[in-house]
């Protein structure tokens, strides 16, 4: 019903920056709980950041101060600005939208931090 498409992933050097985008097929960004997750090979999925419908944001401790989640309601897009990247940030990053019993996921975009 709702499609989420991530983009902006790629290869970046340690200390570099990258901005991920999540485009939604419906006008849900302004009201749904939006979040970014990531999963490295052989590891469990973990929450990177989320944004509530009311606006407050939350970040994992290892990403706090480096990552920023934001949204553009008019474009139905959610962004993840990543700064000061390190190799430990290498993972597939997923966009997630939740509302009541609805839970949508994108296909993910690969982020590789390496020299």
């Amino acid at each position: 019903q709702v499609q989420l498409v991530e983009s902006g992933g790629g290869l970046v050097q340690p200390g570099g920056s990258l901005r991920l985008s999540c485009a939604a097929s419906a006008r849900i960004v302004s009201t749904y709980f939006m979040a970014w997750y990531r999963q490295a090979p052989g590891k469990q999925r973990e929450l990177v950041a989320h944004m509530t419908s009311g606006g407050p944001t939350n970040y994992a401790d290892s990403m706090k101060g480096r990552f920023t989640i934001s949204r553009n309601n008019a474009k139905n897009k959610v962004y993840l600005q990543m700064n000061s990247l390190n190799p430990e940030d290498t993972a597939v990053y997923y966009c997630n939208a939740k509302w009541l019993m609805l839970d949508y996921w994108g296909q993910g975009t690969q982020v590789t931090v390496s020299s």
Side-chain angles (χ1 to χ4, degrees):
Q1 183 176 345
V2 175
Q3 292 183 331
L4 301 176
V5 181
E6 303 95 336
S7 62
L11 176 65
V12 63
Q13 293 184 335
S17 298
L18 206 62
R19 188 183 74 166
L20 306 182
S21 297
C22 173
S25 63
R27 297 189 63 81
I28 63 172
V29 174
S30 62
T31 54
Y32 279 50
F33 289 86
M34 305 300 300
W36 286 95
Y37 288 80
R38 72 182 185 185
Q39 185 170 19
K43 296 183 178 180
Q44 295 293 107
R45 180 193 66 185
E46 66 174 336
L47 176 68
V48 174
H50 76 255
M51 174 177 288
T52 68
S53 59
T57 58
N58 182 264
Y59 304 90
D61 289 340
S62 64
M63 300 153 219
K64 193 174 301 181
R66 299 189 299 123
F67 292 7
T68 303
I69 186 172
S70 62
R71 65 188 179 192
N72 186 318
N73 294 335
K75 295 183 177 181
N76 288 304
K77 288 186 176 181
V78 176
Y79 306 95
L80 182 67
Q81 179 65 48
M82 304 183 293
N83 301 321
S84 301
L85 289 165
N86 56 62
E88 290 71 37
D89 296 316
T90 296
V92 176
Y93 285 71
Y94 299 92
C95 181
N96 172 246
K98 293 182 180 179
W99 184 64
L100 299 179
M101 297 301 294
L102 300 176
D103 192 2
Y104 303 104
W105 293 87
Q107 292 297 309
T109 184
Q110 176 70 47
V111 172
T112 302
V113 185
S114 176
S115 60

